[in-house]
Amino acid sequence: MTDNPVEAPAPNGKWEAAMLAGGDPIARYWAMHLAYNQNAALGIDFDEAVEEMDDHPAQTCRDVVRKFIAMFSYDTSPEACRQEALINEAKRALEREA
């Protein structure tokens, strides 16, 4: 990633504030996603944020929901292997929190 930090976007609702909360890869991806949608030139930084978020195992049900929103928002759909990984993360999170 470059040394130029992405300016933190202002959340427009409670759900989006939850997406940006914390410093995990899901929050970093969502900030990059919002900046990208505001026509910021992010290039490889955006691609790296996508990969980091995809590879980050969601540990809690809340994080599974956040990751789901990030992966499927705005008419996007990840590869089948990424979808399967998210389903398995959700199952593990449910088992931990049951």
Side-chain angles (χ1 to χ4, degrees):
M1 295 186 130
T2 65
D3 293 331
N4 299 333
V6 174
E7 183 175 324
N12 65 9
K14 286 183 179 180
W15 73 269
E16 199 160 80
M19 293 296 290
L20 294 167
D24 67 2
I26 300 167
R28 286 190 293 276
Y29 163 77
W30 196 250
M32 293 291 273
H33 173 76
L34 294 176
Y36 182 81
N37 284 343
Q38 295 170 0
N39 296 322
L42 300 174
I44 196 163
D45 289 343
F46 179 77
D47 295 336
E48 289 175 358
V50 170
E51 288 298 317
E52 184 181 13
M53 190 267 309
D54 280 345
D55 293 340
H56 174 70
Q59 297 295 315
T60 66
C61 291
R62 178 181 180 272
D63 286 343
V64 169
V65 171
R66 290 172 61 231
K67 191 169 181 178
F68 178 88
I69 291 169
M71 291 172 78
F72 288 92
S73 288
Y74 304 105
D75 274 340
T76 60
S77 182
E79 303 164 345
C81 63
R82 297 289 191 189
Q83 293 178 28
E84 186 176 337
L86 182 61
I87 290 167
N88 289 329
E89 289 172 21
K91 289 176 183 176
R92 287 189 297 272
L94 282 172
E95 288 174 353
R96 278 191 298 275
E97 294 180 21

